[in-house]
Amino acid sequence: MTHKHVIGIDLGTTNSAVSLWLNGHAQLVANAQGKLLTPSVVGLDDSGNILIGESARQRLQSHPHLTQASFKRYMGSEAQLMLGTQRFRAEELSALLLRQLKQDAESALGEHVHDAVITVPAYFNEIQRRAVKTAGELAGLNVVRLLNEPTAASLAFGLLENREQKYLTFDLGGGTFDVSIIDMFEGVVEVRASSGDVMLGGDDFTEAICQWMLDQHPALRQRLPELKPALHAQAEQLKCALSSGNSASAALEWQGQTWRWTLDEAALAEYCRPLLERLQQPVQQALHDARFSLHDLDHVLLVGGATRMPLVRQTVARLFGRFPRHDLNPDEAVALGAGVQAGMVMADVAVEDIVLTDVMPFSLGVEVVKQQYGQIEDGFFLPLIERNTFLPVSKMKSVSTVYNNQSQVELKVYQGEGRRVKDNILLGEMTVSVPPRPAGEVSLEIRFTYTLDGLLEVECSQGEGVEAARLVIEKTPGQMSEQQIAESLQRLAALKQHPRDRAENRALLARGAKLYSFLLGDERAWVDEVMSAFEHALDSQDARIISQMREQVEQALSRFENGVPQ
Ligand code: ADP
Ligand code: MG
């Protein structure tokens, strides 16, 4: 293949994964621990080295002040997340994770990678989407495409079963819930509608179990801040155990006393009922927007780790009157779909006949004032692009001045479905100068263009003869400035990485492991010895020793690599 590699990344709230398009299909890449999923956790070890993935996750409970999880929830906000005494934005923690996934893909490929497709919850707003692009940039990645998560899973499924069909993808992850309705025909994967809830996921079920645990032993409430991490871990374990058994037990030791719980499905169902009810609305919304009835669907596809819960599966079965399908591993489907999209970006022949169309899941518009009953009232929402319109889309509307001699117009861009802007999300604002004239005589034409990535461009022109100006949305809340990005790049580069995690060392470790699995007998034992010596050097954390050893190991390995299949 002549085209350089594009990787596909599922940047999840709980787990992340990276995939490659190789030999006509998408496949997930194992990390240095041999696992396909990397926990989305970042931390510092006791010597100040950055830890990413499983090694960080293991310290969530023991070192909560040095560890951060679920930071995806803060993407596109100014939230400061602490690792010890250092402050990070969610984009920066995400960048550290993305950097690691990039390196894993590079180790597997044996070459550098720059381009990536990254998935985002369909319901991520403009600001959150830009934050993901920024995180990619901070990780040294060029984000060629942002892809909605349920769309990615649907794409992976569509390729598995390439025929005319209509289906609904039900994606319940750790922190978000996304629904998409897909119409597939002649290689076209058409997303007809998306809906979701960015505040609903498996973590909320864990939280409900925490509440049940506290109701069982109310005395524990007194020391909640201190007990919370341990309680949460027990609740998570109970939840997962109930996915494969009828009841599950947990125990917690505190102040010389042991507290015990046994949870069964009936109690779980009672505490989770409000959450299960919330699963319905986005499904109905998506069906309505797609103008589909339940009977039009050939099947329902489950995606996301939380769909392993029998309660969730039962709710889906009841909602749709049939059993859902889970052909794809629910934790891997999104990353696989990102890999398929990567193949499409690389214009691979195996996917040249596949066409993907997506929609924008929310409405976009501007604030306007209304003249009613002789009074001027502001704060109304004028939608320019309505939700679930096919992408890319460009729409225009005209607005006029409302005051005599007004010299400027404040253009405020909102996202949402509320009639009044106070119920919607402010995406940004800009000021446009206008010539002072009597009210209503100056009109502005506003054009919104929404790209396949789900990013918005705003153009504004003042009637005939005046050239349209493309306006940058200024004052976007929560967005990093160019200067902040430049400073952050320096800061992240200066963070200490354990030598074992550095790209060049990881690549060499991967090379050694591959050679070891290929060889047999004395030669294999010899590679084992060479690699042990290298690991010992890495543990010394002494740059000089490591670089000398790396050179020796490289030479030693290359002597045996002739004849090893690539
Ligand atoms: P994300 O997309 O947010 O990274 P995942 O799709 O990996 O999330 O799903 C993570 C969620 O799935 C977590 O809330 C986790 O507790 C839940 N989960 C994973 N395995 C199970 C299981 N066996 N039973 C119940 N919940 C599970
Ligand atoms: Mg996910």
Side-chain angles (χ1 to χ4, degrees), residues 10 12-15 172-175 202-203 206 236 239-240 243 304-306 308-309 330-331:
D10 170 10
T13 312
T14 322
N15 293 301
L172 189 65
D203 294 351
T206 307
E236 177 73 20
K239 181 180 78 174
C240 292
S243 294
R308 290 188 198 279
M309 290 180 71
D331 319 300

Side-chain angles (χ1 to χ4, degrees), residues 125-146:
N125 66 39
E126 173 81 11
I127 300 161
Q128 293 165 312
R129 284 169 195 263
R130 288 194 191 274
V132 172
K133 282 212 150 180
T134 303
E137 187 182 334
L138 292 174
L141 282 169
N142 169 37
V143 183
V144 289
R145 177 81 197 268
L146 295 175

